[in-house]
């Protein structure tokens, strides 16, 4: 342990009373090798920007449509205040755990070392299935929503009918959507095979592009009051309806707002992403993860509060509810979110298309970030010998290329199912992902709350900030218990899509799939445990030490 940072050095053994473990023997027998092979190249600023890319600073221009249609009684601006309160608490727990256990694998390491490796694998497998699913899903979204919306905006702003015809063809052709999605996902996989520093340079580039779109869009909205937009919209009625005929008066209620936090919370997902590649973070992990994990939700909350307020100012809450509900009743090659609706204001085809191009940047960024994360998780499982050890192979630049290629195959399968079998894998995927995701986050927060009591020796070796207390009670425990309850409330809210008469489209399969994945992770661990014990590998040591750096 380094006296300067009070963090554990590579392979440090956390002894349990009554157990004596030799460092060299345990490190050699349990782990694949004495060094992970990953390279620490990610700075604090890069980690922060990558986390914000995973959150999508302009994605709420997209989610606002579903949020308005499915939770019409919600005040979306208020949901930001609720969401940031919950996410700052959750972010604090992840920050503390990433500081105490600065290794790749995120909650697999946290939960596995605090509770048990089987529970850690169950939680982490659930997250990884969601992430691999999203890599395919957002590649599909690029083809089915983002590009058609961009072409439609170009046409709507005066660019001619050819662009709208192309948008309709892509939107209506399953094969074309799959081909474009395949190209997007293939590009994601190829970028993931680059050295880590280049992967994150691409992420920073995506953030810069999104930030430019965000700034321009907010400027346009703040310069356009509702009356001016109504005039512009009536002059170019893309929906064949006047502005006033689409306005739907729905009262705001406290219950509706609390349940409506679902889509706001969905967009918050991503600020803990840097914990999954903790073994590639350079410098002091407490400082870096503090900025990336704890700082990201605060920055993001400010941005989406501005986004929601500006959207209400220009379009009006009633109009957004009406136009969103109309879309889900009819559908078409354009997503009626603010990025598309701005085409009625700007009337400049290239600018209108550029604004909607922000969706392309966002969905590609999602596909990239949420593909990288499970590759690091799979690497961590294999490094602990739970999965085949060949999955830990890395290039000379420290890229786990075998994990990338294996998960690339599964992401392609997810894309194929999304495209050709939407009955089992449709837009409700995001809803049930939210349900399962926050259920698992609650387990992580509970592990953080109990960390000081279940792993006293490891807790005592953590950085001083992790051990901070209010009186005799660790702050981590106080915040952890509160974050657990809040996370499970969001999980519940995500399962109530038919509340207030709005049909979510969820099935029993949607809501049971991820809990089954969690249980499957536990079963996989014990099967692997039995096999490795039979081979003479001391698997009991996994939850007694951190893996090598």
């Amino acid at each position: 342990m380094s006296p300067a940072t009070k963090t554990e050095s590579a392979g440090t053994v956390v002894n349990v009373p009554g157990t004596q473990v030799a460092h060299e023997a345990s490190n050699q027998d349990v782990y694949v090798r004495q060094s992970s092979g990953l390279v620490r190249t990610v700075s604090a600023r890069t980690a922060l920007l990558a986390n914000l890319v995973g959150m999508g600073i302009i994605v709420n221009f997209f989610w606002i449509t579903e949020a308005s249609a499915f939770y019409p009684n919600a005040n979306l601006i208020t949901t930001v205040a609720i969401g940031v309160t919950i996410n700052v608490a959750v972010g604090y727990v992840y920050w503390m755990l990433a500081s105490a256990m600065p290794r790749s694998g995120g909650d697999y390491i946290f939960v596995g070392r605090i509770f048990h490796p089987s529970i850690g694998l169950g939680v982490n497998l659930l997250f990884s299935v969601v992430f691999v699913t999203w890599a395919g899903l957002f590649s599909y979204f690029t083809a089915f929503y983002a590009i058609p919306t961009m072409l439609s905006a170009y046409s709507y702003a005066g660019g001619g009918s050819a662009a709208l015809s192309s948008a309709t063809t892509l939107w209506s052709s399953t094969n074309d959507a799959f081909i474009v999605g395949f190209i997007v996902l293939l590009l994601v996989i190829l970028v993931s095979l680059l050295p880590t520093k280049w992967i994150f340079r691409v992420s920073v580039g995506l953030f810069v592009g999104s930030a430019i779109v965000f700034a321009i869009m907010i400027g346009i909205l703040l310069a356009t009051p509702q009356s001016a937009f109504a005039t512009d919209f009536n002059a170019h009625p893309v929906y064949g309806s006047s502005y006033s005929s689409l306005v739907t008066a729905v009262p705001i209620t406290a219950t509706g707002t609390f349940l409506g936090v679902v889509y706001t919370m969905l967009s918050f997902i991503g600020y803990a992403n840097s914990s999954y590649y903790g073994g590639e973070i350079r410098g002091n992990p407490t400082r870096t993860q503090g900025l990336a994990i704890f700082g990201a939700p605060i920055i993001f909350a400010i941005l989406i509060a501005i986004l929601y307020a500006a959207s209400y100012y220009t379009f009006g809450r009633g109009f957004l509810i009406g136009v969103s509900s109309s879309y889900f009743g009819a559908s078409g090659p354009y997503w009626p979110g603010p990025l598309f609706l701005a085409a009625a204001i700007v009337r400049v085809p290239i600018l209108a298309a550029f604004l909607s191009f922000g969706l392309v940047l966002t969905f590609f960024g999602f596909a990239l970030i949420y593909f990288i994360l499970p590759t690091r998780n799979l690497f961590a499982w294999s490094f602990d010998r739970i999965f085949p050890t060949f999955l830990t192979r890395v290039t000379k630049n420290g890229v786990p290329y075998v994990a990338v290629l294996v998960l690339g195959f599964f992401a392609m399968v997810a894309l194929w199912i999304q495209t050709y079998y939407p009955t089992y894998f449709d837009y409700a995927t995001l809803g049930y992902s939210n349900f399962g995701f926050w259920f698992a986050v609650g387990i992580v927060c509970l592990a953080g709350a109990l960390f000081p009591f279940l792993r006293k020796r490891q807790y005592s070796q953590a950085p001083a900030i992790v051990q901070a207390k209010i009186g005799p009670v660790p702050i981590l425990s106080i915040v952890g218990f509160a974050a657990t309850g809040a996370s499970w409330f969001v999980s519940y809210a995500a399962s109530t899509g038919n509340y207030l008469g709005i049909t979510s489209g969820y099935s029993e399969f949607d809501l049971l799939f991820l809990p089954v994945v969690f249980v499957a992770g536990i079963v996989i661990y014990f099967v692997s445990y039995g096999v490795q014990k039979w081979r003479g590998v001391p698997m009991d040591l996994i939850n007694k030490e951190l893996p090598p750096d």
Side-chain angles (χ1 to χ4, degrees), residues 439-460:
F439 164 76
V441 167
I443 296 176
V444 179
C445 292
L446 183 61
L450 296 176
F451 178 37
F453 310 105
L454 297 182
R455 292 288 181 257
K456 293 181 180 180
R457 187 177 296 273
Q458 190 170 346
Y459 177 72
S460 68

Side-chain angles (χ1 to χ4, degrees), residues 187-253:
L187 184 58
V188 164
I189 295 170
L190 292 176
V191 171
S192 300
L193 290 169
L194 295 173
T196 302
K197 65 180 180 181
W198 283 102
I199 295 174
F200 285 96
R201 285 175 180 173
V202 172
S203 298
V204 171
L206 292 170
F207 175 82
V208 171
S210 297
I212 292 172
V213 171
F214 181 90
I216 295 174
M217 184 65 184
I218 295 300
I220 291 172
L221 295 183
L222 294 180
T224 309
Q226 187 174 332
S227 58
F229 171 74
T231 299
D232 292 336
F233 184 83
N234 289 334
H236 308 282
V238 66
Y239 297 98
S241 303
S242 66
Y243 176 88
S244 60
S245 67
L246 285 169
V247 173
T248 303
V250 180
I252 294 172
T253 65

